[in-house]
Amino acid sequence: MSSSLVSLYEDLQRSFNSIPSDLKRCGALLSQLKIGLIEAGLLIPQGEPVEGDLVIARDILEIGAIWSIRSRDEPSFDRYFSQLQTFYNDYSSYLPPSKREFPIRGLNLIRLLTQNRIADFHTTLESLPLPADAIGDNPYISHPVNLERWLMEGSYSKVWNARAEAPAEEYKYFVDSLIGTIRNEIASCEESAYNSLPLKDAALLLFFSSQSELLAFAQQRGWEIDLTGATITFTRKGEEQLEIPRQKLIAASLAYARELEQIV
């Protein structure tokens, strides 16, 4: 590996490990480093490259994956995770273990949950280089496994509480995304089950800690807000949708009656 590439890598480490991380600087360095890895034949290694070079290449891609989440860039995370598969799978017996491997694998599992790719979640889980009885002992893997189980059970309060138990700060990004999906599902149920609810009860059901967050969400859903009475009135979307089939049914019945009169 060239000295210029090593120098860029060391600069990336400093920028990434600073508190807080210099995300803008990391993004610029990662772009340069990926070009350097391509030129050195290390982005998608083939044959038997030098072990030290592979370790550095893997570390660059791992930093890139975590940087992507900190930058709220999911597509970038997908690309970095895909590129890491060669290092995690094809060179697993050739390279020393990476302390970032399972945190990143766990992030990928939660990403699949947020995209509702349950089949891919289980396929990925089964392909992990980890015995089934050891999953519970690995916090980075057990966390998404528990999330998936609670989602299937409808135990949304446990999903909400799981945010505070995230094994790494980056996990909270995907947990927040899951909570957003859950809120919309609960909101749809509320619209069907209730005409209105007190603001306090609606906030509790939707896991909002402040009234301002609830009011912003209510406006997005088109709910009527009564601050004086401290209530929310839900839009009866279900009834509006039923009016169209009703009209079609009446029109069809009238047409059928006219045809009968003509026959008679």
Side-chain angles (χ1 to χ4, degrees):
M1 184 175 289
S2 66
S3 58
S4 60
L5 203 57
V6 172
S7 178
L8 285 172
Y9 167 60
E10 291 173 348
D11 193 356
L12 175 66
Q13 286 183 309
R14 287 191 295 271
S15 300
F16 183 74
N17 293 327
S18 64
I19 302 175
S21 297
D22 187 344
L23 296 180
K24 185 176 180 179
R25 178 65 177 164
C26 285
L29 289 168
L30 284 165
S31 296
Q32 296 177 61
L33 282 163
K34 288 186 75 173
I35 294 172
L37 291 177
I38 292 171
E39 293 173 345
L42 291 170
L43 187 65
I44 304 176
Q46 297 177 352
E48 296 184 5
V50 177
E51 179 182 325
D53 290 350
L54 285 177
V55 170
I56 291 176
R58 182 184 64 185
D59 196 41
I60 291 169
L61 295 177
E62 288 178 333
I63 290 174
I66 297 172
W67 167 84
S68 299
I69 300 303
R70 292 182 181 179
S71 301
R72 305 293 190 263
D73 187 348
E74 279 190 59
S76 177
F77 174 81
D78 291 348
R79 292 191 293 272
Y80 278 109
F81 185 79
S82 177
Q83 291 157 354
L84 281 166
Q85 295 314 293
T86 299
F87 296 87
Y88 289 161
N89 300 327
D90 300 340
Y91 288 89
S92 59
S93 59
Y94 184 72
L95 298 176
S98 167
K99 64 179 181 180
R100 293 193 178 108
E101 177 178 352
F102 282 104
I104 290 173
R105 285 186 180 275
L107 283 169
N108 179 60
L109 286 171
I110 299 184
R111 178 184 65 87
L112 295 175
L113 286 181
T114 62
Q115 297 174 353
N116 200 30
R117 294 165 58 184
I118 305 302
D120 289 339
F121 174 89
H122 286 286
T123 300
T124 303
L125 184 63
E126 291 170 2
S127 66
L128 290 177
L130 195 66
D133 57 359
I135 288 177
D137 297 326
N138 189 312
Y140 302 106
I141 304 303
S142 62
H143 190 264
V145 168
N146 288 334
L147 283 174
E148 191 270 343
R149 185 176 73 251
W150 294 331
L151 285 170
M152 295 302 102
E153 293 174 352
S155 302
Y156 296 148
S157 60
K158 291 182 179 179
V159 176
W160 170 258
N161 293 331
R163 188 184 189 281
E165 302 167 359
E169 192 68 23
E170 291 74 28
Y171 279 55
K172 295 179 181 179
Y173 168 73
F174 286 118
V175 175
D176 287 343
S177 179
L178 279 176
I179 291 170
T181 301
I182 289 170
R183 278 196 180 113
N184 283 311
E185 290 183 1
I186 294 173
S188 296
C189 292
E190 288 179 346
E191 289 170 344
S192 299
Y194 302 102
N195 290 320
S196 65
L197 276 176
L199 288 175
K200 183 178 179 181
D201 292 347
L204 182 64
L205 288 170
L206 293 166
F207 303 106
F208 283 119
S209 56
S210 69
Q211 181 171 294
S212 60
E213 291 176 330
L214 171 63
L215 296 181
F217 181 81
Q219 288 177 343
Q220 291 175 359
R221 301 284 303 192
W223 296 342
E224 297 178 10
I225 304 166
D226 180 2
L227 291 176
T228 303
T231 61
I232 285 179
T233 300
F234 303 111
T235 305
R236 304 301 293 174
K237 296 179 181 178
E239 290 180 6
E240 292 171 3
Q241 292 172 353
L242 287 174
E243 289 177 5
I244 297 174
R246 225 179 268 160
Q247 291 173 355
K248 288 183 177 179
L249 183 59
I250 292 170
S253 299
L254 289 172
Y256 181 61
R258 291 192 193 100
E259 290 178 4
L260 285 176
E261 285 179 358
Q262 291 174 0
I263 294 172
V264 174

